Each structure stands twice: as structure tokens, then as C-alpha cells.
Amino acid sequence: KQWYQRRVAITAGDDIPEVWEGHNIADFVDPDIVTKLDELEKEEAMLEEAGVYESEDENLTEEQKDIREKAGLIRKEKAIIRHKHRLNKHSNRTPMSERVVRKKQGIKRARSISRMSQDESMEVDTKFQTKKVKPGRDVSGLRDAKMVKEVRKKMKKSQIKMNQFGKAGEADRHIAAKLPKHLFSGKRGAGKTDRR
């Protein structure tokens, strides 16, 4: 450690350190870098004069130009279709059930009531009461509340058997015994070595 501290003290005032992040700086220093750069710039100028960097559009035939034009039009059409789809994306949703709508409205009301004064909250209540909501799919086609109750009762009853025969899935964690007792306990008699 003392040697290291002495070493650090020696190189502390250097503008360019000898070793930086495990690399020897001398390995990366090139004394001829300016001349090499000048040569590169001259070579680049020669290539530009020769026309190496000119665009390919000038060398295309009429047929190739026509194909590129059509490809551009197709790309524009696709972009327009994508944009239209994004605009209509949310308009094709199925209507929410009455229960979900009420739940959402209840949350909104609770928030608004806590923020507003008492008279403003009354206005919010009247606004929500004017909305007419369609009955849910589980209630549609049923005559009255008695029939709804009966249908729900039958649904629960039919679900019982399914729940009884429910299989263990990957979420039901079960750690099997490494050494099951009934297999690994007791002495082995003659003629009993086939198991174990």
C-alpha cells in the first residue's frame, strides 16, 4: 500500500497519466497522426473528384425510377391506413356492462366529492343519473329479478362439480418428498430387493 501511495504521489501532478484504467497511454499515442490525417484528406478529395460519392439516382433507368416512385406511394398509403386504424381503434370496443360502468362512476364520484364542495358534488350526482346504461350480458334475456336469481343459483350449482375436479396447475406449488418413508424404511429381506 505504501508503494502504491508513493507511486500515486509521484504521478499526481502529471497532465497525462502513464497508466489510465489499466491501459498504458503510450500504446495509444501516434506521433505521425497529423501527416496520416493529411494523407486521408487528400485521398478523400480525390475520391470526391472521381465521383465515388455521387448519388445512385442519376444512374437509374426509367423502369427503376418508376418502381421507386410506386414504392414511395405504397409507403404513403400504408402510413395513411395505419393512421386511420389508430384513430378508429378505440371506437370498436364492446359496450361496458352496467356493473363496470357503475363501479367506474362510483370511483369518479368519490374522487370528485372529496375535491369539490357539497353543492358541486350534487351537480355531479345529477349528471351521472341522466345517463342510461344497457343491462349486462348476464341479465339480458331474463324477465325479472326472480328469474335472474334463479339463473345465478343454477350457475353456481353447475360450477360445483368443475371445482371439485380441478386439477393442480403449475401455480399450485408441491414439493415432493425426496426420500418417501414407505419406500426407504425397514430391512430388506431375501427376495425383496427388486423395489428400492
Side-chain angles (χ1 to χ4, degrees), residues 1-33:
K1 191 175 177 182
Q2 289 174 353
W3 177 86
Y4 170 76
Q5 286 172 341
R6 203 179 312 127
R7 179 100 176 168
V8 170
I10 291 165
T11 58
D14 292 354
D15 292 336
I16 299 170
E18 193 176 318
V19 176
W20 182 70
E21 289 187 0
H23 301 289
N24 190 351
I25 298 258
D27 295 341
F28 300 99
V29 174
D30 187 6
D32 305 329
I33 196 160

Side-chain angles (χ1 to χ4, degrees), residues 150-193:
E150 202 176 308
V151 166
R152 287 211 174 120
K153 199 173 184 181
K154 282 182 180 177
M155 184 185 72
K156 279 189 177 180
K157 202 171 186 181
S158 68
Q159 201 72 32
I160 291 168
K161 275 281 184 230
M162 278 189 243
N163 293 343
Q164 279 177 348
F165 295 115
K167 300 271 193 304
E170 62 184 45
D172 301 309
R173 190 163 60 175
H174 174 68
I175 300 161
K178 280 187 179 176
L179 298 170
K181 195 74 174 173
H182 72 288
L183 291 175
F184 292 97
S185 61
K187 294 180 181 179
R188 292 189 299 163
K192 297 277 185 173
T193 55

Side-chain angles (χ1 to χ4, degrees), residues 91-125:
S91 64
N92 297 333
R93 285 192 178 156
T94 55
M96 286 187 283
S97 68
E98 188 179 353
R99 187 179 37 136
V100 174
V101 171
R102 278 187 188 159
K103 193 175 181 184
K104 283 191 174 185
Q105 287 175 354
I107 292 166
K108 283 181 185 174
R109 269 194 222 144
R111 285 182 188 158
S112 63
I113 288 168
S114 64
R115 288 185 190 147
M116 295 183 214
S117 62
Q118 189 64 30
D119 56 310
E120 288 175 336
S121 66
M122 294 301 284
E123 287 173 24
V124 172
D125 282 338

Side-chain angles (χ1 to χ4, degrees), residues 43-141:
E43 194 178 324
E44 233 10 72
M46 285 169 61
L47 287 170
E48 277 180 20
E49 286 172 19
V52 173
Y53 298 123
E54 287 179 9
S55 63
E56 296 175 11
D57 293 343
E58 295 168 10
N59 302 334
L60 294 176
T61 62
E62 286 296 319
E63 191 178 327
Q64 288 173 330
K65 284 180 183 176
D66 190 42
I67 289 168
R68 283 206 177 176
E69 232 175 86
K70 285 178 183 175
L73 289 171
I74 289 168
R75 276 191 214 101
K76 280 182 187 174
E77 281 294 317
K78 278 188 176 179
I80 291 166
I81 290 166
R82 232 179 271 125
H83 183 67
K84 280 182 183 175
H85 175 70
R86 284 187 189 132
L87 290 175
N88 296 333
K89 196 175 187 181
H90 301 293
S91 64
N92 297 333
R93 285 192 178 156
T94 55
M96 286 187 283
S97 68
E98 188 179 353
R99 187 179 37 136
V100 174
V101 171
R102 278 187 188 159
K103 193 175 181 184
K104 283 191 174 185
Q105 287 175 354
I107 292 166
K108 283 181 185 174
R109 269 194 222 144
R111 285 182 188 158
S112 63
I113 288 168
S114 64
R115 288 185 190 147
M116 295 183 214
S117 62
Q118 189 64 30
D119 56 310
E120 288 175 336
S121 66
M122 294 301 284
E123 287 173 24
V124 172
D125 282 338
T126 55
K127 187 172 78 175
F128 281 113
Q129 285 171 357
T130 56
K131 281 190 173 180
K132 189 176 180 183
V133 183
K134 290 180 182 178
R137 286 170 62 192
D138 59 337
V139 182
S140 63

